[in-house]
Amino acid sequence: MAQDWRLFQGGDTRPHKVETWPAAPPWRRFGDDARRRDRKRPLPYLISDEDRDVVNMALHLHRPLLVTGRPGTGKSTLAHAIARELMLGEVLHWPVNSRSTLTEGLYSYDAVGRLREASLKRRADETAGTEPDIGDYLRLGALGTALLPAAKPRVLLVDELDKGDVDLPNDLLTVFEEGEFEIPELARLGEGKTVQVQYAGSREKIGITSGWVSCSVFPVVVITSNGEREFPPAFLRRCVRLDLKQPDEAQLRRIVTMHLGEEVGARAQELIADFVSRRNERELATDQLLNAVRLRSSGVRVDQDVLDKLFRSLNEVDAQ
């Protein structure tokens, strides 16, 4: 019985064809059809009344929302929940890493590509004296796109800002306060010059005049942090702060039911209790619980050995 679920056996096993590939969990389905189904049947976002009010404070004050909490508490998902419920379009996503800069979030310019294209044209003796359109080599980033003028704000997710350079939060302050930025490469073309530029999340272009992008309404900015380091007081002062707590046993039962159905949720009580007990001793994410429940509902015998593998601490390091 325990062997039935093991597609891969290893050893000297002969190659064998898997007639029926395991169905993917709802959160691991890909392709256009899967995405369309998800949009038609979005899952509710579970949030306490107190946390909901903090979110609304940020919306009314037009301030960035700085969301902290352990992995798996729904920090990034909150941005998508806001965008979906308030019909603000697709979330603009800026995943931050140690090499991220403010300019990267605002725009990118392929100067080398433009220079190469100009050189090729000159060699081919094409339209002497004309340079490639600079707009074809410039693209707005997620932050730059969020600052485009619009009747309604876009939702911008600045994910894991604490992984970025120590100066990045301070670099963001001016943009957040002014709601505008300059693209020097376009500003040098002269006052009143309009250039069509591609923006994030679209293949379309929008006109930028005199090299300036200025929002008409401040975007809904959701900044997530895993608490790996502290942010400068000046940055914190300009944010509305929300600390998401880990879901309790009742909330976990609702999460399992939402993702996997009433019947599966009703049978998962033992796993949920085991998960909560382990979570009190080590750092675990809700995703790990969902994986365990999904395996069991698929007919896999989820014994103690399997649970030990699935419920490994996020901070655990393999021995070398």
Side-chain angles (χ1 to χ4, degrees):
M1 178 71 177
Q3 296 292 324
D4 293 345
W5 68 283
R6 293 185 171 94
L7 306 178
F8 172 73
Q9 299 295 332
D12 295 328
T13 306
R14 293 182 179 179
H16 56 281
K17 183 178 181 181
V18 178
E19 297 297 339
T20 304
W21 197 253
W27 55 90
R28 293 297 298 168
R29 293 172 186 165
F30 300 97
D32 292 337
D33 290 340
R35 284 197 294 269
R36 280 195 291 270
R37 285 195 300 271
D38 288 342
R39 282 196 290 266
K40 289 179 181 179
R41 296 181 298 182
L43 296 173
Y45 184 81
L46 300 181
I47 189 169
S48 68
D49 292 344
E50 181 182 357
D51 291 344
R52 178 199 59 198
D53 289 346
V54 175
V55 173
N56 282 289
M57 290 177 196
L59 297 179
H60 280 277
L61 294 172
H62 293 232
R63 287 288 188 182
L65 179 67
L66 176 59
V67 187
T68 56
R70 292 186 176 182
T73 52
K75 300 186 296 296
S76 300
T77 311
L78 176 58
H80 295 274
I82 294 171
R84 182 174 62 242
E85 182 176 330
L86 302 183
M87 301 177 66
L88 298 178
E90 295 292 327
V91 172
L92 296 164
H93 186 203
W94 181 17
V96 174
N97 58 52
S98 60
R99 300 178 302 279
S100 297
T101 63
L102 175 61
T103 301
E104 169 197 298
L106 294 174
Y107 73 97
S108 61
Y109 174 49
D110 185 8
V112 174
R114 188 177 182 226
L115 183 62
R116 184 186 301 115
E117 181 69 17
S119 176
L120 290 173
K121 282 190 173 184
R122 283 193 293 270
R123 290 178 185 178
D125 207 19
E126 297 178 6
T127 55
T130 62
E131 293 288 334
D133 185 356
I134 190 173
D136 293 337
Y137 300 88
L138 203 150
R139 185 176 186 272
L140 296 182
L143 174 57
T145 300
L147 293 171
L148 288 171
K152 287 186 177 181
R154 293 291 300 272
V155 177
L156 169 66
L157 172 60
V158 183
D159 216 0
E160 299 189 329
L161 181 60
D162 51 332
K163 291 187 181 300
D165 183 82
V166 66
D167 292 326
L168 184 56
N170 280 330
D171 293 341
L172 286 167
L173 288 181
T174 301
V175 175
F176 284 163
E177 286 301 294
E178 302 297 333
E180 62 181 7
F181 68 98
E182 182 187 44
I183 302 176
E185 292 85 354
L186 299 185
R188 285 194 289 267
L189 299 178
E191 187 71 25
K193 175 70 173 179
T194 298
V195 177
Q196 298 295 318
V197 173
Q198 187 179 347
Y199 53 94
S202 175
R203 295 183 178 178
E204 298 180 2
K205 291 187 175 184
I206 190 169
I208 296 178
T209 302
S210 302
W212 278 94
V213 175
S214 181
C215 68
S216 51
V217 57
F218 190 73
V220 177
V221 180
V222 177
I223 303 170
T224 71
S225 168
N226 290 322
E228 293 186 7
R229 63 178 174 82
E230 292 293 326
F231 294 119
F235 177 79
L236 295 176
R237 191 169 65 247
R238 289 166 173 82
C239 296
V240 175
R241 300 164 70 178
L242 171 62
D243 184 32
L244 290 178
K245 302 297 189 294
Q246 291 182 315
D248 59 24
E249 199 163 330
Q251 290 173 318
L252 288 171
R253 193 179 307 116
R254 291 180 62 192
I255 291 171
V256 170
T257 299
M258 283 192 309
H259 282 280
L260 297 171
E262 291 281 354
E263 184 178 350
V264 174
R267 298 199 308 265
Q269 185 57 41
E270 180 185 345
L271 271 180
I272 294 173
D274 188 2
F275 174 81
V276 172
S277 176
R278 292 171 184 253
R279 194 182 64 183
N280 292 334
E281 303 173 356
R282 66 188 76 167
E283 188 169 356
L284 299 175
T286 305
D287 291 351
Q288 293 167 283
L289 170 64
L290 288 172
N291 289 337
V293 177
R294 171 65 184 185
L295 277 180
R296 174 172 285 182
S297 67
S298 301
V300 176
R301 192 180 74 183
V302 182
D303 55 22
Q304 197 64 36
D305 183 57
V306 172
L307 284 181
D308 288 341
K309 291 180 173 65
L310 286 173
F311 290 166
R312 292 185 62 181
S313 173
L314 299 180
N315 290 328
E316 185 176 339
V317 179
D318 291 326
Q320 298 297 321

